[in-house]
Amino acid sequence: MTLFKQREPLLAAMVVLLIMAVGLKEPAFLSAGSLANVVTDSTLLVMLALTQMLVIVTRGVDLSVASNLALSGMVAAMLGANVPGLPLPLIVLTAVAVGLLLGLVNGWLIGYLELPPIVVTLGTMSVYRGAVFVLSGGAWVSAHQMPAPFIAFPLERLLGLPHLVWIAAATLALMAWVARDTRFGRDLYAIGNAPQCAGYIGIASHKRLLWTYALSGAVAGLCGYLWVARYAVAYTEIAYGFEFTVIAACVIGGVSIGGGVGTVLGAALGALFLTVIGNALPVLQVSPFWQSALTGLVILVAVLINARGTGRRSRQILPLHGLDAKPHRSAA
Amino acid sequence: MNPTTAMQTESKTSPSRYTILDRETPRLKTLLGRWESLLAMLFIVVFAANSIALPHFLDLYNLLDGTQNFSEKALIALPMALLIICREIDISVAGALALSSVAMGAAMGAGFPAESLPLVALATGTACGFLNGVLVTRFALPSIVVTIGTVSLYRGLASVVLGDNAFTGYPQLMADWGQGYFFGIVPREFVVLLVCAALFAVLLHTTSWGRRIYAIGNNPEAARFSGIAVDRYRLALFMLTGAMAGLAAFLLTGRIGSTRPNIATGWELEVITMVILGGVSIAGGAGTIAGVMLAVLTMGTVTYGLSLANIPGIYMTIVVGVLLLATIALPKLLRMRRAR
């Protein structure tokens, strides 16, 4: 049973069990259409969780993904609305380029200036979010302003599956290859495990970190277009707070926030898990007011399950201040 | 010159036989190089720029009223500074604040007397902090992960109780503290903040309890081996943070006179920004209350100036973000230039 000692099979089993449990209560949830919906809904979270995983593996965190997504999405939506003749691939490329650029800013500050990732991405998160407002003047870009192919693309089907799913699958394959089989990916694990040693054995940490955050940004840019097109609206508050969902997906997927540990499959399953819960609660007719509380509870439980055995610590060798006030205690 | 005379001349120049090499002599340059001094200068520059650019900036009444915009956030920034010095972080503060505010509304609905409402808020906040602390210390989980989970738990519970209504009609006592003034001019909230800041400064900088927080932040393992009950400190700090979030909930609810579902959204990031801008190291072990208060005042002045100039609030997020990035990047950039 070594299979179940690993995180990914356990997590996959949790996802399946959850789907079954919901299906028992509400059989409609198990229909092909409903399950396909879950997969489609999970795509954006999966893609963002994958790159966030690479970032967290290097002991970093990218809090600016949601703001980056909003800004790139707004750029794409405004391009689509204001330049009607523009071919769609060009719009998508622009969104990816904007995301990449924003990611490079993070990467430069974190990689080359060696600033703490939490602080840097906290700062850029505010700046990017504010920039969405500056760019749009606070106005919405709604469905009727965007060209029809722009909106239709994410849910159009290729060989029976929506483009969204294909894109997410391609991202999954690409990231799995990057993380497992490329020098770049292996270096990220080395950096996360022992940053000092990584430097000594000749890993160019600066460059690696730069491109990790750039990758995170580029995928956020792509997701920006997909998000705006899928929900057919762009506004300042888009994906507000989504960065925490992305990080939660990674953590549930067994990515250690301390760096060096994490798999692509785990992050994807973590994202799928959160999406299943998000989709199951309305089906079970749980009041929307309970949904946030239950999501929080589930995150905590999943984290607790994941963390079994990590609490091992070295032995205390000196008596504790305060606790040792009673002198006879140690004699017992 | 033989060795003996060299030694003698040396002993003549310095009063003691040994000189302590690791203690720097207090010089103007090191004093000016301190983070707090830089912040103070930044504050003065921002203040001066505002008073020149904006004709109505230097109105004492307005200026003091402006402090209400940041007093509640700053109250949470104080314990957050202690947590970050101790290498922990609490993302759930705004959730705890919302839950405390809802608890007050529910208690008021249940017929609790007005005087007990602040206690309800403090107790709810402390309970939230206690849960965070237990999860972090008992299960050895990273605090950022725990509090990302609890923030949606707390806010979710608040919205479960609140539904889609809002609690209004709070007693006069709460309005007195949230909107009231001492001597008809100084907002009570600001006085509460100043008193709390003084208490936190004394606690952190003059007591052994405070010194141990630095010790834990510098090296938790070493601190544990030297006999500090690290987990007790962590638990206490989480509870303290929760309690201050409860206090902030009392003042904020009193100030706006109602509890709404979106109360204090996004505050966690503003609070953390205040702390980091105040020179508290995210890696733990360094930071002062004076720095945090200077950062609070600077951010407050910028907000107040922007609002006087009729600039929408969201520009503030850009300014704060740039301020944060610039303050941490500039010293690094200058050092890199010097190294070349």
Side-chain angles (χ1 to χ4, degrees):
Chain A
M1 292 305 275
T2 49
L3 190 67
F4 281 91
K5 287 206 175 118
Q6 284 179 323
R7 239 163 220 154
E8 289 77 23
L10 186 71
L11 195 56
M14 269 161 75
V15 173
V16 172
L17 274 179
L18 192 66
I19 293 176
M20 291 297 173
V22 178
L24 273 182
K25 192 96 202 306
E26 208 63 51
F29 191 68
L30 290 180
S31 70
S34 157
L35 289 179
N37 248 346
V38 172
V39 172
T40 312
D41 281 347
S42 73
T43 47
L44 293 174
L45 186 55
V46 166
M47 290 163 72
L48 291 172
L50 289 175
T51 44
Q52 185 74 242
M53 186 229 37
L54 291 181
V55 169
I56 296 179
V57 158
T58 67
R59 290 200 185 178
V61 68
D62 189 351
L63 291 172
S64 70
V65 273
S67 300
N68 186 336
L69 185 156
L71 185 51
S72 319
M74 183 54 90
V75 169
M78 289 179 73
L79 266 185
N82 295 329
V83 193
L86 213 58
L88 187 60
L90 216 57
I91 296 181
V92 179
L93 269 183
T94 313
V96 174
V98 170
L100 179 73
L101 199 69
L102 301 179
L104 280 171
V105 173
N106 284 334
W108 180 71
L109 288 167
I110 294 164
Y112 282 85
L113 290 193
E114 296 172 2
L115 300 173
I118 292 192
V119 184
V120 167
T121 54
L122 196 64
T124 53
M125 169 186 172
S126 307
V127 176
Y128 298 165
R129 182 66 69 178
V132 186
F133 181 86
V134 174
L135 188 69
S136 64
W140 291 40
V141 182
S142 46
H144 64 89
Q145 290 167 280
M146 302 177 197
F150 178 95
I151 297 174
F153 176 77
L155 292 181
E156 261 170 25
R157 281 162 192 276
L158 179 72
L159 303 176
L161 288 175
H163 284 153
L164 263 179
V165 176
W166 284 113
I167 294 172
T171 316
L172 187 68
L174 179 72
M175 291 305 158
W177 176 69
V178 166
R180 286 183 52 130
D181 302 324
T182 63
R183 174 80 194 273
F184 176 81
R186 299 323 292 174
D187 283 356
L188 299 187
Y189 284 90
I191 292 171
N193 267 312
Q196 294 280 323
C197 306
Y200 288 134
I201 61 168
I203 293 173
S205 301
H206 302 314
K207 214 198 281 173
R208 295 285 184 264
L209 288 177
L210 175 75
W211 288 106
T212 311
Y213 287 90
L215 189 64
S216 170
V219 170
L222 179 61
C223 289
Y225 158 71
L226 292 172
W227 185 297
V228 165
R230 164 136 205 237
Y231 299 105
V233 63
Y235 54 102
T236 311
E237 304 274 287
I238 251 184
Y240 194 81
F242 200 62
E243 59 275 343
F244 290 140
T245 316
V246 175
I247 296 170
C250 285
V251 169
I252 291 175
V255 183
S256 162
I257 211 91
V261 178
T263 62
V264 165
L265 195 60
L269 282 171
L272 194 61
F273 185 74
L274 278 183
T275 315
V276 169
I277 292 181
N279 284 32
L281 292 178
V283 171
L284 294 175
Q285 291 172 354
V286 173
S287 107
F289 302 118
W290 269 104
Q291 286 175 17
S292 162
L294 285 177
T295 311
L297 211 57
V298 165
I299 293 175
L300 288 178
V301 170
V303 168
L304 281 175
I305 293 175
N306 261 341
R308 286 163 311 144
T310 54
R312 220 175 65 241
R313 281 187 179 169
S314 43
R315 207 164 53 87
Q316 181 98 27
I317 51 177
L318 275 183
L320 295 172
H321 290 295
L323 285 184
D324 205 44
K326 288 168 243 146
H328 304 298
R329 215 163 150 263
S330 55
Chain B
M1 201 192 278
N2 62 44
T4 14
T5 49
M7 209 181 255
Q8 274 167 350
T9 46
E10 212 166 354
S11 63
K12 260 176 213 161
T13 49
S14 76
S16 84
R17 200 166 155 181
Y18 303 103
T19 45
I20 301 167
L21 288 175
D22 61 347
R23 179 191 279 174
E24 287 178 49
T25 44
R27 268 182 302 176
L28 196 61
K29 203 178 159 193
T30 45
L31 188 70
L32 287 179
R34 282 179 64 98
W35 188 266
E36 287 77 14
S37 323
L38 292 175
L39 269 176
M41 281 188 274
L42 181 67
F43 174 61
I44 292 168
V45 167
V46 168
F47 200 87
N50 270 340
S51 13
I52 295 165
L54 302 162
H56 302 293
F57 181 80
L58 281 176
D59 178 329
L60 191 59
Y61 283 87
N62 281 339
L63 212 52
L64 281 169
D65 260 359
T67 61
Q68 288 186 326
N69 281 322
F70 60 80
S71 290
E72 296 117 4
K73 286 173 205 158
L75 276 174
I76 310 177
L78 295 170
M80 184 73 86
L82 266 56
L83 264 183
I84 294 181
I85 289 172
C86 189
R87 276 206 205 174
E88 302 290 333
I89 198 163
D90 188 348
I91 310 277
S92 72
V93 279
L97 195 159
L99 192 56
S100 304
S101 181
V102 165
M104 279 192 292
M108 182 185 64
F112 279 49
E115 290 75 24
S116 69
L117 293 184
L119 297 179
V120 169
L122 281 176
T124 314
T126 313
C128 290
F130 181 72
L131 179 61
N132 287 336
V134 165
L135 286 171
V136 169
T137 55
R138 181 60 56 124
F139 300 99
L141 297 172
S143 50
I144 186 164
V145 173
V146 166
T147 51
I148 283 176
T150 52
V151 68
S152 62
L153 179 66
Y154 298 156
R155 209 171 259 292
L157 287 177
S159 75
V160 168
V161 179
L162 203 57
D164 44 8
N165 348 308
F167 288 128
T168 49
Y170 281 103
Q172 185 58 35
L173 173 93
M174 295 195 47
D176 283 350
W177 280 96
Q179 308 163 1
Y181 297 88
F182 282 120
F183 314 116
I185 173 162
V186 190
R188 286 197 189 185
E189 287 193 324
F190 191 51
V191 175
V192 172
L193 171 64
L194 291 180
V195 170
C196 287
L199 286 177
F200 271 85
V202 168
L203 183 71
L204 181 64
H205 298 303
T206 66
T207 64
S208 60
W209 201 82
R211 299 313 301 172
R212 290 197 190 126
I213 291 175
Y214 285 102
I216 296 170
N218 271 310
N219 190 336
E221 284 291 294
R224 227 162 54 78
F225 285 152
S226 62
I228 298 173
V230 174
D231 279 347
R232 288 203 154 192
Y233 277 79
R234 287 188 180 141
L235 181 60
L237 285 181
F238 275 109
M239 288 171 70
L240 185 61
T241 309
M244 292 302 280
L247 178 62
F250 172 69
L251 293 175
L252 176 66
T253 313
R255 180 159 67 89
I256 60 180
S258 67
T259 303
R260 299 195 197 98
N262 65 346
I263 190 168
T265 38
W267 275 30
E268 56 276 342
L269 299 170
E270 276 184 66
V271 166
I272 294 169
T273 307
M274 281 175 176
V275 174
I276 291 166
L277 196 61
V280 176
S281 159
I282 199 88
T288 60
I289 294 295
V292 174
M293 284 305 288
L294 278 168
V296 164
L297 289 177
T298 310
M299 276 174 70
T301 313
V302 173
T303 324
Y304 175 61
L306 287 179
S307 65
L308 264 193
N310 273 329
I311 293 168
I314 192 147
Y315 283 90
M316 182 60 199
T317 66
I318 301 186
V319 172
V320 168
V322 170
L323 213 60
L324 184 66
L325 290 174
T327 43
I328 61 163
L330 274 180
K332 256 309 190 325
L333 281 171
L334 292 176
R335 218 171 303 148
M336 275 168 75
R337 171 159 292 183
R338 216 172 295 149
R340 258 174 230 157

